[in-house]
Amino acid sequence: MDTKQIEYILKIAEENNITKAAGKLFITQSALNQQLIKLEKELGTPLFHRSRTNWHLTEAGEIYVKNAKQMLQIKKDTYQMIHDLTEGRCGHLSVGFTAGRGITMFTSSYAVFHQLYPNIIIEPKEGIVRDLQKLICQGDLDIGFLTLTDKDRTDDIYETIYTEELFLAVPSGHPIVKSHPAKEGEYATLDIRELQYEPFVLMDKRSTMRTLVDQIFSSAGFEPQILFETGNNHTIISMIHASLCCGILTYYYVKDLPPGITCFRLPSRPTWDFTASYKKGRYLSEAARCFIDLMKSQWGKSGTPDQK
């Protein structure tokens, strides 16, 4: 099934500019414009309102784009169904993950996956959770491995791989460490209100982790003094290690922290989920199912410490 013309029109709609779309498609603007004119002649109506700087869809264009996306999804699902019937197990699988833990988890699972499906071409994509959710919703990503709270979930499918606890992290030289000693092999519990006058480094507002962090401070009844905001957990670790501030970290990072940082459990034991997400209503290929199951088998018990 040749869907190039559909892909051309969708790219123009995505870029709102025929010149940019042609560049992304690696064809000339003239060739792309000819394809558009041919289709509009066939349909008997323009699909775009044209201007030098901004092309936007007409009412007919909106109808075309909506149904064109569904046609591409049907094509993709059909090919995946057929590939699942073949012993060669060929095809493509696009997998999204976040920076930090995502790449580590992906690479460890991919090695096993490649042995099972050597003819499947993996297309990895890295991004923040909300961007990956958008790609899943649009049908541009087969699976996304995302960390989020229930409030951050969309209408798509989410399979929980593990539930992960969040911890309060402070420099080990902070006086509160001595006043709240932990039993060997365990974490002491600390009310975050005891640090309300301390500076904090937090994940930035684009992060789904920030949703939960804001809830923690709101429940404690105070707004934190934010020294720095970042999209990188390793930045949080570095700043706490340098005794500049306190922070909140997930257990994935807590379990492998360097000396110089002490972590406490919070009384409410806040958690979020590490999930596998895919588009609701679309066909999930055998290869995609296998990749999710591999992630569950390798990481399914890594969300919380083994203690009461």
Side-chain angles (χ1 to χ4, degrees):
M1 182 189 298
D2 188 358
T3 55
K4 284 191 178 297
Q5 188 181 64
I6 291 176
E7 293 166 3
Y8 289 165
I9 305 307
L10 290 180
K11 183 57 69 174
I12 298 173
E14 180 184 331
E15 298 295 331
N16 293 319
N17 184 290
I18 194 169
T19 303
K20 291 181 180 179
K24 294 288 182 67
L25 293 166
F26 301 103
I27 61 175
T28 65
Q29 180 177 335
S30 175
L32 182 56
N33 192 49
Q34 288 176 14
Q35 288 290 330
L36 174 59
I37 292 173
K38 178 182 177 182
L39 177 60
E40 290 181 328
K41 185 176 180 180
E42 178 185 336
L43 295 172
T45 185
L47 298 178
F48 292 91
H49 296 291
R50 293 155 165 84
S51 72
R52 179 175 294 181
T53 58
N54 180 38
W55 287 41
H56 58 279
L57 293 166
T58 62
E59 185 176 356
E62 295 280 2
I63 294 172
Y64 181 89
V65 165
K66 177 182 177 181
N67 289 279
K69 288 180 178 179
Q70 293 178 2
M71 286 187 278
L72 287 183
Q73 191 60 63
I74 290 171
K75 174 189 174 182
K76 188 171 184 179
D77 288 350
T78 301
Y79 277 46
Q80 287 182 337
M81 290 177 188
I82 294 172
H83 288 151
D84 283 350
L85 293 175
T86 64
E87 293 183 3
R89 292 181 172 183
C90 57
H92 293 74
L93 180 65
S94 56
V95 181
F97 51 91
T98 55
R101 85 175 70 205
I103 185 63
T104 301
M105 293 180 167
F106 171 81
T107 51
S108 66
S109 297
Y110 174 74
V112 179
F113 177 84
H114 185 64
Q115 292 180 343
L116 298 172
Y117 293 87
N119 297 319
I120 295 287
I121 299 174
I122 291 284
E123 299 172 357
K125 297 182 180 180
E126 187 179 67
I128 63 173
V129 170
R130 301 189 198 285
D131 289 345
L132 296 176
Q133 285 177 314
K134 183 177 180 181
L135 291 175
I136 291 168
C137 182
Q138 294 172 341
D140 296 327
L141 189 65
D142 294 320
I143 322 168
F145 292 98
L146 318 173
T147 42
L148 36 65
T149 66
D150 288 342
K151 290 185 177 180
D152 296 312
R153 298 188 183 213
T154 63
D155 291 333
D156 289 313
I157 304 298
Y158 293 87
E159 293 187 25
T160 299
I161 294 176
Y162 63 77
T163 297
E164 179 179 46
E165 188 173 346
L166 274 66
F167 285 74
L168 184 58
V170 304
S172 294
H174 195 289
I176 207 161
V177 174
K178 288 185 178 181
S179 63
H180 292 74
K183 295 180 181 179
E184 185 175 354
E186 297 186 6
Y187 296 94
T189 297
L190 179 66
D191 190 326
I192 199 170
R193 286 176 291 188
E194 296 194 45
L195 295 172
Q196 63 180 304
Y197 301 113
E198 299 290 338
F200 278 84
V201 53
L202 302 177
M203 293 296 287
D204 63 38
K205 291 181 174 62
R206 298 179 305 158
S207 167
T208 49
M209 181 178 171
R210 185 61 179 268
T211 303
L212 185 50
V213 168
D214 286 346
Q215 289 175 4
I216 292 170
F217 285 110
S218 177
S219 297
F222 73 96
E223 292 186 7
Q225 300 178 36
I226 302 176
L227 176 64
F228 194 76
E229 293 179 309
T230 178
N232 191 322
N233 280 283
H234 293 291
T235 300
I236 295 177
I237 293 169
S238 295
M239 294 186 69
I240 299 171
H241 191 264
S243 299
L244 296 176
C245 50
C246 304
I248 296 177
L249 293 168
T250 63
Y251 185 64
Y252 176 85
Y253 296 98
V254 167
K255 60 185 174 61
D256 294 319
L257 284 175
I261 299 177
T262 299
C263 290
F264 296 91
R265 300 184 95 163
L266 291 159
S268 61
R269 301 287 196 270
T271 62
W272 67 349
D273 294 328
F274 178 68
T275 67
S277 179
Y278 47 92
K279 185 174 177 61
K280 184 178 181 179
R282 68 166 298 178
Y283 176 72
L284 188 68
S285 70
E286 179 184 315
R289 180 74 266 162
C290 175
F291 206 102
I292 293 172
D293 290 343
L294 282 173
M295 291 289 280
K296 287 183 177 180
S297 66
Q298 291 189 7
W299 301 96
K301 297 181 180 180
S302 56
T304 56
D306 186 17
Q307 65 173 60
K308 296 182 180 180

